[in-house]
């Protein structure tokens, strides 16, 4: 009787199992095959010999780890650091926050004359361009002002006066990615590389030397043309650098006949640069200025004349994350660090650590030195990054965060960003949304991957100690390709 009852129970259980939908059932042994393939690849990849790598891959919904290697080892994240900064600034300021710049006076306007000083007050807008300086000058004239009986003064005291994060090297100072940070700074175009000018070099002259242009046109910087034009058959290499502590930009090396190149160069003292541009545009608009131009703090008893507002933060995240803008990252850190004191790195990093603590991330197990990842001292683990990427899904601003990530294989610049040339024309195009990172000897990629069946996974790949960081993307792509292939075969319909 007992044996008959057991047969009946087993038959019922079998019938129940057959009735359960079996979509996305893991096939026995397939997950082990993915682990074996990844382990074999990592062991045999020549570029990883002598290097250090950390990988963590987990299911997006359940949080189950499907592969890990050195996932708790602290690594230099490079620009994957921006994932933390983006989350913190969205949490602190809100996705609809707009940054402001104010034009004010301590005097009065009467009969077309401003009797007093004119103040240009920066509030840390990372998206200001030189065209905004032109527009503000024209708007001043639109207010009926024809003469300023006073000085033009730039106020950048919304942030402190530290221009560089503590680990910035002297070689980075003239590079666009290492530009000085100020609460009043402008970019030469809509890439928003703030605190820079764009140098255009064209080898179209017959003099043996290329022609040079600076955008925007200004005399705040000087150009030293040491470059030569060579024939198409000769190897050409152009170098554009700024002499330390000056605004003398040296163009050296060679450029092939008929070619043109452009380079973004960071200026020395960005506030002074903005002041220079603003003063020039005020005068160009037809307004006479009797005083001088200088940098100082505006008085409390000021009268506002004009105010500009940036696009909302959720839109500014696109150039920040898609193009990996270091200047924006450091300005955001100073913004979240602003309280009773001017915005500064120390308080900004403390605020970032507090946010990570609220996210139940082990901040005491991290080393955080800046907001951009330019520092070689930063230390974050792959598991900490995947944890962050998982937890932010619950935030109301997550759609803005996710849409700011570069999308693999999408060639439109503000969609694909730094991933636009990777996975083009493959099944993974459009299915990887992730933040890239590159430093000398470092390559990283962390974000989300969607499988063919529509499942989502979270991953972080951190490569350190590479002999050639340009090999990093190829390795990361191969890892994701293996994961995608095995996840595709791991599910049945």
């Amino acid at each position: 009787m007992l044996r008959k009852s057991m047969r009946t129970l087993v038959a019922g259980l079998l019938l129940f199992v057959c009735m359960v939908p079996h979509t996305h059932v893991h096939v026995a042994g397939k997950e082990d095959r993915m682990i074996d393939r990844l382990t074999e690849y990592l062991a045999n990849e020549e570029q990883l010999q002598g290097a250090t790598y950390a990988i963590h891959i987990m299911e997006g919904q359940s949080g189950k780890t499907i592969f890990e290697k050195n996932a708790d080892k602290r690594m230099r994240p490079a620009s994957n650091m921006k994932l933390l900064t983006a989350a913190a600034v969205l949490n602190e300021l809100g996705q609809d926050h707009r940054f402001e710049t104010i034009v004010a006076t301590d005097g009065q306007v009467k009969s077309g004359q401003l009797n007093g000083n004119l103040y240009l007050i920066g509030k840390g807008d990372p998206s200001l361009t030189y065209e905004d300086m032109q527009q503000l000058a024209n708007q001043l004239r639109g207010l009926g002002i024809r003469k300023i009986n006073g000085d033009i003064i730039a106020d950048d005291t919304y942030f402190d006066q530290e221009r560089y994060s503590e680990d910035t090297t002297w070689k980075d100072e003239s590079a666009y990615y290492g530009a000085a940070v100020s609460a009043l700074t402008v970019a030469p175009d809509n890439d928003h590389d703030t605190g820079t000018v764009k140098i255009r070099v064209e080898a179209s002259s017959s003099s043996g030397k290329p022609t040079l242009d600076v955008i925007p046109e200004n005399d705040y910087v000087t150009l030293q043309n040491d470059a030569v034009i060579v024939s198409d058959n000769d190897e050409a290499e152009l170098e554009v650098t700024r002499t330390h502590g000056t605004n003398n930009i040296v163009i050296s090396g060679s450029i092939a006949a008929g070619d043109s190149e452009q380079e973004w160069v960071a200026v020395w003292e960005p506030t002074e640069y903005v002041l220079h541009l603003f003063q020039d545009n005020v005068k160009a608009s037809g307004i006479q200025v009797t005083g001088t131009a200088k940098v100082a703090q505006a008085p409390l008893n000021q009268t506002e004349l004009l105010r500009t507002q940036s696009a909302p933060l959720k839109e500014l995240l696109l150039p920040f994350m898609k193009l990996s803008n270091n200047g924006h990252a450091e300005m955001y850190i100073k913004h979240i660090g602003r309280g009773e004191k001017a915005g500064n790195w120390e308080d900004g990093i403390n605020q970032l650590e507090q946010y990570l603590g609220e996210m139940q991330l082990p901040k005491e197990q991290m080393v955080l030195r800046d907001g951009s990842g330019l520092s070689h001292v930063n230390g974050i683990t792959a598991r900490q990054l995947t944890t962050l990427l998982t937890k932010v899904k619950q935030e109301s601003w997550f759609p803005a965060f996710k849409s700011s990530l570069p999308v693999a294989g999408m060639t439109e610049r503000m969609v694909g960003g730094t991933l636009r040339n990777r996975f083009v024309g493959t099944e993974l195009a459009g299915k990887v949304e992730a933040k890239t990172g590159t430093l000398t000897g470092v390559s990283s990629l962390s974000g989300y991957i969607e499988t063919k069946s529509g499942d989502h996974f979270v991953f972080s790949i951190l490569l350190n100690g590479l002999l050639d960081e340009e090999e990093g993307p190829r390795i990361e792509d191969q890892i994701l390709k293996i994961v995608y292939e095995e996840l595709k075969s791991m599910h049945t319909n």
Side-chain angles (χ1 to χ4, degrees), residues 10 12 15 60 69 75 79 88 100 108 127 136 154 183 206 214 270-271 297 316 335 347 403 473 486 488:
V10 170
L15 177 62
K69 187 70 175 177
M75 306 283 284
S79 284
E100 297 179 331
Q108 293 183 335
S127 66
L136 284 172
S206 58
V214 58
T271 303
Q297 186 169 6
L316 297 185
H335 270 292
D347 291 333
S403 66
E486 294 303 323
K488 183 170 64 172

Side-chain angles (χ1 to χ4, degrees), residues 181-200:
V181 175
S182 168
L184 187 56
T185 181
V186 297
D189 54 33
N190 288 328
D191 276 6
H192 298 297
D193 288 310
T194 193
T196 71
V197 294
K198 185 161 59 177
I199 307 299
R200 186 159 44 208

Side-chain angles (χ1 to χ4, degrees), residues 8-241:
T8 303
L9 178 60
V10 170
L13 287 172
L14 287 172
L15 177 62
F16 174 76
V17 169
C18 291
M19 292 175 65
V20 175
H22 57 277
T23 303
H24 306 322
V25 174
H26 288 270
V27 179
K30 292 289 183 68
E31 192 168 312
D32 290 340
R33 190 174 74 179
M34 182 189 71
I35 293 172
D36 289 344
R37 280 190 67 189
L38 285 172
T39 301
E40 181 181 6
Y41 170 70
L42 294 169
N44 294 325
E45 169 55 58
E46 183 180 348
Q47 294 296 324
L48 291 179
Q49 304 306 311
T52 307
Y53 53 86
I55 303 170
H56 190 236
I57 306 170
M58 58 191 289
E59 291 182 347
Q61 189 168 358
S62 69
K64 174 189 174 184
T65 295
I66 63 169
F67 183 82
E68 63 176 294
K69 187 70 175 177
N70 301 321
D72 296 309
K73 183 182 289 290
R74 273 187 297 277
M75 306 283 284
R76 289 173 288 168
S79 284
N80 277 202
M81 181 69 202
K82 294 182 176 74
L83 292 166
L84 281 66
T85 302
V89 73
L90 280 166
N91 183 73
E92 183 73 18
L93 302 183
Q95 62 180 348
D96 296 316
H97 181 84
R98 295 174 185 264
F99 302 96
E100 297 179 331
T101 304
I102 296 169
V103 178
T105 183
D106 56 6
Q108 293 183 335
V109 180
K110 186 176 182 181
S111 301
Q113 297 193 41
L114 171 58
N115 298 306
N117 297 318
L118 184 72
Y119 296 90
L120 179 65
I121 305 171
K123 300 287 186 178
D125 183 353
S127 66
L128 277 178
T129 68
Y130 77 95
E131 292 172 332
D132 292 317
M133 298 300 101
Q134 293 175 334
Q135 186 175 9
L136 284 172
N138 291 335
Q139 288 175 339
L140 275 175
R141 183 173 174 82
L143 294 177
I145 298 174
R146 297 295 180 268
K147 186 177 182 180
I148 298 173
N149 295 312
D151 298 328
I152 296 181
I153 300 173
D155 181 348
D156 65 356
T157 57
Y158 195 78
F159 291 164
D160 68 0
Q161 298 303 298
E162 275 195 70
R163 297 302 192 212
Y164 301 99
S165 57
E166 59 184 323
D167 300 316
T168 303
T169 70
W170 67 270
K171 289 194 71 175
D172 290 332
E173 284 185 15
S174 69
Y176 72 93
Y177 57 79
V181 175
S182 168
L184 187 56
T185 181
V186 297
D189 54 33
N190 288 328
D191 276 6
H192 298 297
D193 288 310
T194 193
T196 71
V197 294
K198 185 161 59 177
I199 307 299
R200 186 159 44 208
V201 185
E202 293 190 1
S204 56
S205 69
S206 58
S207 65
K209 296 187 74 64
T211 58
L212 308 178
D213 291 299
V214 58
I215 302 169
E217 185 178 349
N218 69 90
D219 58 8
Y220 184 73
V221 300
T222 58
L223 304 183
Q224 181 177 325
N225 191 356
D226 293 338
V228 296
I229 299 174
V230 296
S231 68
D232 293 340
N233 297 326
D234 294 330
E235 186 175 345
E237 184 175 0
L238 201 66
E239 185 174 7
V240 182
T241 59

Side-chain angles (χ1 to χ4, degrees), residues 322 405-420:
K322 299 281 189 186
L405 296 175
V407 184
M410 299 292 103
T411 55
E412 186 179 334
R413 200 153 177 267
M414 284 300 178
V415 178
T418 53
L419 282 178
R420 63 188 179 277

Side-chain angles (χ1 to χ4, degrees), residues 414-457:
M414 284 300 178
V415 178
T418 53
L419 282 178
R420 63 188 179 277
N421 297 320
R422 293 166 68 173
F423 295 114
V424 176
T426 72
E427 282 191 65
L428 280 164
K431 294 185 179 295
V432 176
E433 298 170 278
K435 184 71 198 73
T436 58
T438 306
L439 282 174
T440 302
V442 177
S443 184
S444 56
L445 187 68
S446 300
Y448 309 99
I449 181 172
E450 179 184 349
T451 67
K452 188 173 183 179
S453 61
D455 292 331
H456 291 84
F457 291 76

